[in-house]
Every structure is written in structure tokens, then in C-alpha cells.
């Protein structure tokens, strides 16, 4: 029986021009290139310029995704932006992107699940597409974490970077088989009991300030692999796919050790893992769409490939999505 699925028509990305190397960081806080590379796999990250906002990064990525899909803003009726670093407390940065794209139609909103934001946005857009509420959606992850980092705290400031990625989803009729293209299965989780392990110590309703990112790095590490593996098992159980069916594993890019340990636990060979963390750092909600953009642009991810996406972020929030490109 045929079914409507959200099929990816194009991907785009954007990285700010300014590269911040580990060596530069070691002149700002007491750290070293060797420590950062060994513990995280990160060599460098990008930092947005003064006056360059999350909506600007998201706009570049959205335009690139539209170009890649051969579409224009007139074709889009939904924008979902995943971000934990919006330009303003309100309105949503998504409506700024909508305006900058010259759109007066459709609907745009932000969604916040920190590093899991892109998977939450993708799942939300997919549900709206399948419910007939949207035909073509831009799903964007864009972040300027450089603005919420404590640049004197070496345990956090070396980990994150700025960037944006986007995909265009289109409602397409598919046969309803395992070989269908599009979002095949999405599994999201959260548990607020972990909120103090990774959080920002400010906000409009609590301190009236923006605040800075705080993290119990070792604790986050301890939970990440297990929680993510559990939700991936859930996705496999729901669909009948196994790790052996996966063409590309596209994890959230937090840390090379978390990525590799998860791939090992699942039995996915390292050649099938898309890794950008060495050059981007952790770009939170932007990391998965940036990885999709990079690997589809260089020809690794091809039409018909089965992708496993996963993430864990502040909250905790976590999830896994099976998607056929
Ligand atoms: N440079 C040098 N030394 C440092 C640095 C640094 N940048 N940061 C911390 N250290 C020191 C600590 O002060 C500590 O010193 P001490 O032993 O004298 O007290 C020592 O290094 C070890 O610190 P730990 O925090 O135990 O180091 P660990 O091996 O756990 O590595 C890291 C820290 C990289 C943060 C790790 O815990 C990690 O990757 N955690 C996952 C967190 C993460 O990736 N979060 C991203 C957001 S969540 C997500 O996206 C999944």
C-alpha cells in the first residue's frame, strides 16, 4: 500500500570563516593541542564573526539546501529550526530566516533539544508532512555556541563550534516497503532528571541573563553510549533493520571517543561512520545536517543509501532516526 514519506531532496551547510585552532585555544586557557585531540578528536572549530547571528548561519545553509534540491523559497511551506542559541529570546530565529528568504507564506518556528535538536526537528517536520500539514519543509540546525561558552573554562570551551546545516524534505508517495526513500522510523527520548549534567546557567525566566554552558563531562560521557545504543536498538526492533543493513552511520559529532565507542558497540565498521568533529568541533544541533551535507556533497552518501542518525544532548534528550537518502 503506497504511503507518504518525507524524502530528502537536498542538503546544505555553512561554516563561519574564522577557524579557531587548538593551538590558539592553548594561548587562551591552560590546555594543549595534544590533550584536546586525544580526549575529543577535535583539531579546530569555527567561530561566528561579530554581528553574524544564528539566523545568518541558518540562512546560508537553507539557501545551499534549496540550491541542492533545485527549489526556491516559494516551494517551501514549513521551516523548523533546531537551535539552543537563537538570535533573541523571541521571536524565533526561524521567522528571521523565513523573512530573509523573502517568504510571506508558510509557517516557521524554532525547536529546542540542544544537541538532539536536529533529530527532534526532523521528526516534527516529518510528522507534519505525513499528516498533510506541509508539502515541502526546510529542516535546519544552526548554532552559535561560541556566544554561550565560558572562554575561561578549559573543560568546556575547547569542545564546541559554530555552524549550520539544513535539509529539504518533500512529501513523496512511496510503495510502503523497506526500500522506501525518506524518514523510515524516528525514536525520541528525554529525561529531565539529568538536567544538571549539561545546562546553561542563565535564562530569561531565571536570571534574566543569557548564561554560560556548564557540563559534567565525565558524567555525560558515562551515559552517552548506553542511552544512544538503547534508542538505536529500539529503531532496529521497530523496523527489522540491523546494523548490517546500515550504509552510513551519521552520529551527533560530540567527541570522537563517544562516536567510535557507539559504532563499536553496534558493530558498525569505522569506514561507514561519517566524522566531522575533527574540523567542526561539537556544533550541537548543526552537527548532523553538516555531516549529511559534507558526505552527500563528496559522493559518499548516495540516493538509496540507508542512514542511521543518532544524538544525545542537554536535558538529556536523545534519539535515533532511520532514513533512506
Ligand atoms: N586541557 C587540559 N586539561 C583539561 C582540559 C583541557 N581542555 N579540560 C579538563 N582538563 C583536565 C581536568 O581539569 C582534569 O584535571 P585534574 O585531573 O587535574 O582534575 C583532567 O583534565 C581530567 O578531566 P576529566 O574531565 O576527567 O577528563 P575526561 O577524560 O573525562 O575528558 C571530556 C573530558 C573530553 C570533556 C570528556 O569527559 C568528554 O568527552 N565528555 C563528553 C562530554 C561531551 O562531549 N559533551 C558535549 C555535549 S553532550 C553531547 O553532545 C553528547
Amino acid at each position: 500500500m503506497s504511503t507518504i514519506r518525507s524524502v530528502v531532496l537536498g542538503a546544505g551547510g555553512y561554516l563561519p570563516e574564522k577557524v579557531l585552532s587548538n593551538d590558539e585555544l592553548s594561548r587562551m586557557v591552560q590546555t594543549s593541542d595534544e590533550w584536546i585531540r586525544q580526549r575529543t578528536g577535535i583539531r579546530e572549530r569555527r567561530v561566528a564573526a561579530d554581528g553574524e547571528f544564528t539566523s545568518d548561519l541558518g540562512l546560508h545553509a537553507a539557501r545551499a539546501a534549496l540550491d541542492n534540491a533545485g527549489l526556491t523559497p516559494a516551494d517551501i511551506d514549513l521551516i523548523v529550526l533546531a537551535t539552543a542559541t537563537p538570535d533573541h529570546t523571541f521571536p524565533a530565529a526561524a521567522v528571521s530566516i523565513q523573512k530573509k528568504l523573502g517568504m510571506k507564506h508558510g509557517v516557521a518556528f524554532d525547536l529546542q533539544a540542544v544537541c538532539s535538536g536536529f533529530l527532534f526537528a526532523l521528526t516534527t517536520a516529518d510528522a507534519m508532512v505525513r499528516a498533510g500539514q506541509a508539502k515541502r519543509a526546510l529542516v535546519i540546525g544552526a548554532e552559535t555556541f561560541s556566544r554561550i561558552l565560558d572562554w575561561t573554562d578549559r573543560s568546556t570551551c575547547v569542545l564546541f563550534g559554530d555552524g549550520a546545516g539544513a535539509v529539504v524534505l518533500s512529501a513523496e508517495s512511496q510503495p510502503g516497503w523497506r526500500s522506501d526513500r525518506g524518514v523510515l522510523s524516528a525514536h525520541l527520548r528525554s529525561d529531565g532528571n539529568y538536567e544538571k549534567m549539561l545546562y546553561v546557567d542563565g535564562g530569561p525566566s531565571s536570571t534574566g541573563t543569557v548564561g554560560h554552558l556548564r557540563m559534567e563531562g565525565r558524567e555525560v560521557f558515562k551515559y552517552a553510549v548506553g542511552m544512544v545504543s538503547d534508542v538505536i536498538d529500539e529503531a532496529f526492533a521497530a523496523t527489522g533493520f540491523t546494523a548490517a543493513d546500515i550504509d552510513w552511520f551519521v552520529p551527533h559529532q560530540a567527541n570522537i571517543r563517544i562516536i567510535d565507542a557507539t559504532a563499536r558497540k553496534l558493530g558498525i565498521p569505522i569506514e561507514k561512520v561519517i566524522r566531522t568533529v575533527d574540523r567542526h568541533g561539537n556544533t550541537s544541533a548543526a552537527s548532523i545536517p553538516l555531516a549529511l551535507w559534507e558526505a552527500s556533497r563528496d559522493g559518499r552518501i548516495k540516493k538509496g543509501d540507508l542512514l542511521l542518525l543518532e544524538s544525545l544532548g542537554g536535558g538529556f534528550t536523545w534519539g535515533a532516526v532511520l532514513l533512506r537518502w
Side-chain angles (χ1 to χ4, degrees), residues 70-225:
L71 297 176
T72 71
D75 300 310
I76 298 298
D77 52 9
L78 169 68
I79 299 174
V80 187
L81 170 66
T83 188
T85 47
D87 304 4
H88 304 286
T89 301
F90 75 79
V95 300
S96 301
I97 295 176
Q98 181 189 27
K99 179 189 78 179
K100 289 171 187 173
L101 284 171
M103 290 170 62
K104 289 191 171 178
H105 64 280
V107 60
F109 59 90
D110 288 2
L111 183 156
Q112 211 271 71
V114 208
C115 298
S116 297
F118 182 75
L119 294 193
F120 279 57
L122 185 65
T123 304
T124 303
D126 171 52
M128 290 180 72
V129 164
R130 285 187 295 107
Q133 288 179 308
K135 282 207 155 30
R136 281 186 173 150
L138 264 170
V139 183
I140 308 167
E143 302 277 20
T144 48
F145 261 49
S146 62
R147 308 263 155 78
I148 56 163
L149 293 176
D150 175 352
W151 288 100
T152 65
D153 174 11
R154 67 177 182 175
S155 69
T156 53
C157 76
V158 303
L159 301 175
F160 296 90
D162 298 340
V167 297
V168 178
L169 295 182
S170 178
E172 305 280 331
S173 178
Q174 295 287 300
W177 299 338
R178 281 162 67 86
S179 56
D180 282 3
R181 292 181 65 210
V183 177
L184 301 179
S185 201
H187 303 264
L188 304 180
R189 300 285 304 279
S190 69
D191 186 345
N193 287 299
Y194 297 95
E195 66 182 353
K196 284 296 172 204
M197 287 185 192
L198 179 53
Y199 68 105
V200 168
D201 62 6
S205 163
S206 53
T207 58
T209 62
V210 172
H212 291 112
L213 183 146
R214 307 291 173 204
M215 182 176 70
E216 302 284 340
R218 201 176 274 182
E219 291 298 305
V220 175
F221 199 106
K222 198 169 85 188
Y223 290 107
V225 179

Side-chain angles (χ1 to χ4, degrees), residues 23 32 71 74 90 108 116 172 231 245 256 267 281 325:
D23 283 335
S32 67
L71 297 176
F90 75 79
S116 297
E172 305 280 331
V231 78
D245 297 312
I256 206 77
W325 200 252

Side-chain angles (χ1 to χ4, degrees), residues 11-16 46 57 60-61 64 118 139-143 161-167 250-253 274-277 279-298 300-301 309 325:
Y14 174 77
L15 292 161
R46 302 296 181 102
L57 274 54
H60 287 299
F118 182 75
V139 183
I140 308 167
E143 302 277 20
D162 298 340
V167 297
V250 190
H252 167 52
Q253 309 283 319
I274 307 295
R275 302 195 288 190
T276 60
V277 68
R279 288 155 292 119
H280 301 174
N282 179 348
T283 57
S284 184
S287 90
I288 291 177
L290 272 168
L292 292 172
W293 170 59
E294 188 172 289
S296 58
R297 202 166 59 142
D298 68 19
R300 277 178 291 171
I301 295 177
L309 320 177
W325 200 252

Side-chain angles (χ1 to χ4, degrees), residues 29-82:
V29 288
Q30 207 180 357
T31 189
S32 67
D33 175 52
E34 196 196 354
W35 193 97
I36 300 171
R37 272 193 293 112
Q38 267 184 8
R39 305 282 176 128
T40 71
I42 299 167
R43 286 190 282 118
E44 60 188 37
R45 71 287 292 143
R46 302 296 181 102
V47 176
D50 288 344
E52 192 176 34
F53 298 158
T54 292
S55 66
D56 300 314
L57 274 54
L59 175 69
H60 287 299
R63 284 200 175 123
L66 285 170
D67 282 352
N68 186 236
L71 297 176
T72 71
D75 300 310
I76 298 298
D77 52 9
L78 169 68
I79 299 174
V80 187
L81 170 66

